[in-house]
Amino acid sequence: MEFLQSLVMTPYGAFTALLFVMVMGEVIAKATKGVLPSAFGVTILLLAGFWSGILPPNIVEISGITAAFFGLISALLVANMGTLINRQEMIAQWKTVVICLMGLTGIITLSLTAGSALFGFSTAAAATPALAGAAMAVAAVRQTAEELGTDTAAYAALIAVVVMSVQGLFGYPLTAFCLKKEARRLSAEFKAGTLKPVTAAGQSAAVGADAKPESTNMALLKLSIIALLSYLLQVITGKLGFQLSMYVWALILGFIGHETHLLQTDSLNRSNANGMAITILMLYLFGGLSSSDPKTILPVFTTAATLVILGAIAMAIMAVIASKLFHKTFFMAFATTLNAYLGFPVNVMLVNEALDLNTDSPEERAAVSAEIMPPMLVGSFVCVTIVSVIIAGILVKYIV
C-alpha cells in the first residue's frame, strides 16, 4: 500500500490513478445501463479515495493539471462550443432559453420561500446561487462571507460550498435518467421513420464537412486568440464596473468567429484535440472534491441536501409546465433545466452516454444527437455561465 501511495505522489502515478477512476466510472455506467452515470461513479470513487487517505488531496496538482492550465483549457472549450450551434439553431433554441429561465425562477422561488422558512433567509440566499449552478457564483458567496467575517456569513459560505459538492449526487442520476428516456424515444422514432436522418446539408452545417480540417496547431492558435481576447474583455468590463466573465465572452466570440467563417465548426474535435481537453477539464473539476472532507460536509449535509431536493422539485414543476407550453417532452424539459446542477462538460458526457446506450448506428446517433445536444449546450450556458453569476451578485448582499 505504501508503495502504491508513493507512486501516486509522482506526476505519472497521479495522472494514471485519476484516469483509472474515470474509466471505472465508465464501467459503472455501462454495468448499470446508465442508471448510475459515470460522473456519479467518479464522484463516489474520488470521495472514497480522498476520505480514506488513499488519494492525496492535491492529486490533480501533482498530475500537472494546474488552475491556470484548467482556465486556459476551459476557455478553449467554451470558444469551441460557440462553433457548435449556428445562427439558425441559436434562434431555434429560444424555447430552451425560456425553459431554463423558468427552471431557475422555480429554484429561486422555492429556495427563498420554503428554504428560508426551514433554515433562515441568509442560508437560503447563500445556497440559491449554488443551486442555480456555477463555481463562480459560489466563489462570489465565499468572497463576500470572508469580507463580512461573521459566524453567520461563514456558515452561509459553508452551505454554498457543500450544496455545490452534493448537488451532483442528485443531478447526475436525474439528468442521466431523463436523457436516457429521451434518447430511447427518439431512437424509436428514428427506427419507425418519423425522425429523419441528418441530411448531407445538415451534416455540413453541423460538423463542417464542407471544409478540410485544420491542423491541430492552427485550430488551437485561433481558439487561444479567442481566449486571450475574452480575458482582455473581462478585464476591461471589470474596470468599467460591470465585469462579464471571460467564459461568456469566449462563447460569444466563438459564435461570431464561426458565423464569420474564421473558426471551423467543432475545430477542436476535428483537429483531434477535443478528447484530451475534455479529459483534463473533467479531472480538474472532479479533483475539487478533495476539499469536501467529512468534517466539512457531514454537519451540514442534511441542510444542503434538503435545499438541493427543493431545487430539483422546483425544476420538475417548471418542466411540467414548460412541456405543456412548448410541446416538449417532460424528460427533455427537465434535463434542460437540470443543467443548473451539472453544466458543461458533464452535460456533454451524460448526453454521449445516453447516445452510446440507446443508438445502434452512426446515422441514428447523429439524428438523436441533433435533437438532444443543442438544447443541453444552450441550457448549460444560460443556467451556469450567465444567470447564476447574476443571481449571486444580487443575493450576496443579503448574507449577514
Side-chain angles (χ1 to χ4, degrees):
M1 180 63 71
E2 291 182 3
F3 175 70
L4 290 175
Q5 288 179 324
S6 65
L7 282 180
V8 173
M9 295 301 293
T10 68
Y12 319 102
F15 195 68
T16 300
L18 288 170
L19 288 177
F20 176 77
V21 171
M22 294 288 284
V23 170
M24 290 307 297
E26 295 174 357
V27 170
I28 291 172
K30 291 179 180 179
T32 61
K33 297 183 178 179
V35 174
L36 297 178
S38 62
F40 181 87
V42 170
T43 298
I44 297 300
L45 290 172
L46 284 178
L47 283 176
F50 291 136
W51 291 8
S52 66
I54 295 175
L55 298 178
N58 61 337
I59 187 172
V60 173
E61 183 179 347
I62 293 172
S63 71
I65 304 173
T66 63
F69 191 42
F70 163 78
L72 174 61
I73 293 296
S74 297
L76 298 181
L77 283 166
V78 170
N80 189 64
M81 282 180 63
T83 73
L84 296 178
I85 304 176
N86 59 38
R87 184 171 60 255
Q88 291 76 20
E89 289 174 330
M90 186 68 77
I91 295 172
Q93 291 300 323
W94 69 268
K95 293 180 180 179
T96 297
V97 175
V98 176
I99 290 171
C100 289
L101 294 177
M102 289 175 64
L104 293 174
T105 300
I107 289 175
I108 295 168
T109 302
L110 203 55
S111 177
L112 295 182
T113 54
S116 294
L118 290 170
F119 308 112
F121 186 78
S122 182
T123 296
T128 300
L131 292 172
M136 289 180 289
V138 175
V141 174
R142 292 185 65 182
Q143 182 179 0
T144 300
E146 290 172 1
E147 291 172 355
L148 291 171
T150 65
D151 291 340
T152 303
Y155 180 77
L158 175 62
I159 287 291
V161 172
V162 176
V163 164
M164 185 179 68
S165 299
V166 303
Q167 65 184 174
L169 299 178
F170 296 88
Y172 298 162
L174 278 174
T175 308
F177 176 77
C178 291
L179 291 173
K180 181 172 69 172
K181 284 286 192 179
E182 187 68 5
R184 283 182 179 177
R185 182 186 70 83
L186 292 169
S187 175
E189 288 189 1
F190 181 85
K191 291 179 172 66
T194 53
L195 177 64
K196 302 301 181 183
V198 178
T199 62
Q203 287 179 339
S204 177
V207 299
D210 57 331
K212 182 179 179 180
E214 298 173 317
S215 69
T216 298
N217 289 335
M218 179 58 74
L220 291 176
L221 172 61
K222 290 182 177 180
L223 291 173
S224 67
I225 292 173
I226 295 291
L228 175 59
L229 292 174
S230 301
Y231 169 74
L232 293 174
L233 287 169
Q234 175 180 273
V235 172
I236 292 170
T237 54
K239 291 182 177 180
L240 294 175
F242 58 96
Q243 187 178 75
L244 192 60
S245 167
M246 66 173 291
Y247 300 118
V248 177
W249 284 116
L251 181 69
I252 294 171
L253 294 179
F255 174 77
I256 293 173
H258 180 247
E259 287 297 310
T260 55
H261 305 293
L262 295 175
L263 296 176
Q264 290 189 348
T265 306
D266 199 7
S267 55
L268 268 185
N269 193 48
R270 299 182 68 216
S271 59
N272 300 315
N274 190 65
M276 188 64 174
I278 288 285
T279 297
I280 290 172
L281 187 64
M282 294 304 303
L283 291 178
Y284 186 88
L285 289 176
F286 283 123
L289 293 169
S290 63
S291 61
S292 303
D293 58 82
K295 293 180 181 179
T296 300
I297 289 184
L298 296 181
V300 295
F301 179 83
T302 301
T303 299
T306 301
L307 290 167
V308 168
I309 292 170
L310 285 175
I313 292 171
M315 286 187 284
I317 293 171
M318 287 301 184
V320 171
I321 298 172
S323 66
K324 303 297 183 183
L325 287 176
F326 300 117
H327 306 291
K328 301 279 187 179
T329 66
F330 165 77
F331 295 111
M332 192 66 243
F334 195 22
T336 302
T337 61
L338 280 167
N339 270 292
Y341 278 12
L342 36 121
F344 177 84
V346 177
N347 58 347
V348 174
M349 176 191 292
L350 295 179
V351 169
N352 285 329
E353 285 183 5
L355 295 173
D356 290 340
L357 292 168
N358 297 284
T359 59
D360 300 321
S361 68
E363 295 77 15
E364 182 183 347
R365 183 188 179 95
V368 175
S369 179
E371 298 293 320
I372 296 178
M373 190 67 82
M376 291 300 288
L377 290 175
V378 172
S380 172
F381 269 83
V382 172
C383 293
V384 176
T385 307
I386 302 174
V387 179
S388 66
V389 178
I390 297 173
I391 294 171
I394 296 171
L395 292 180
V396 291
K397 300 173 184 177
Y398 298 96
I399 299 174
V400 295

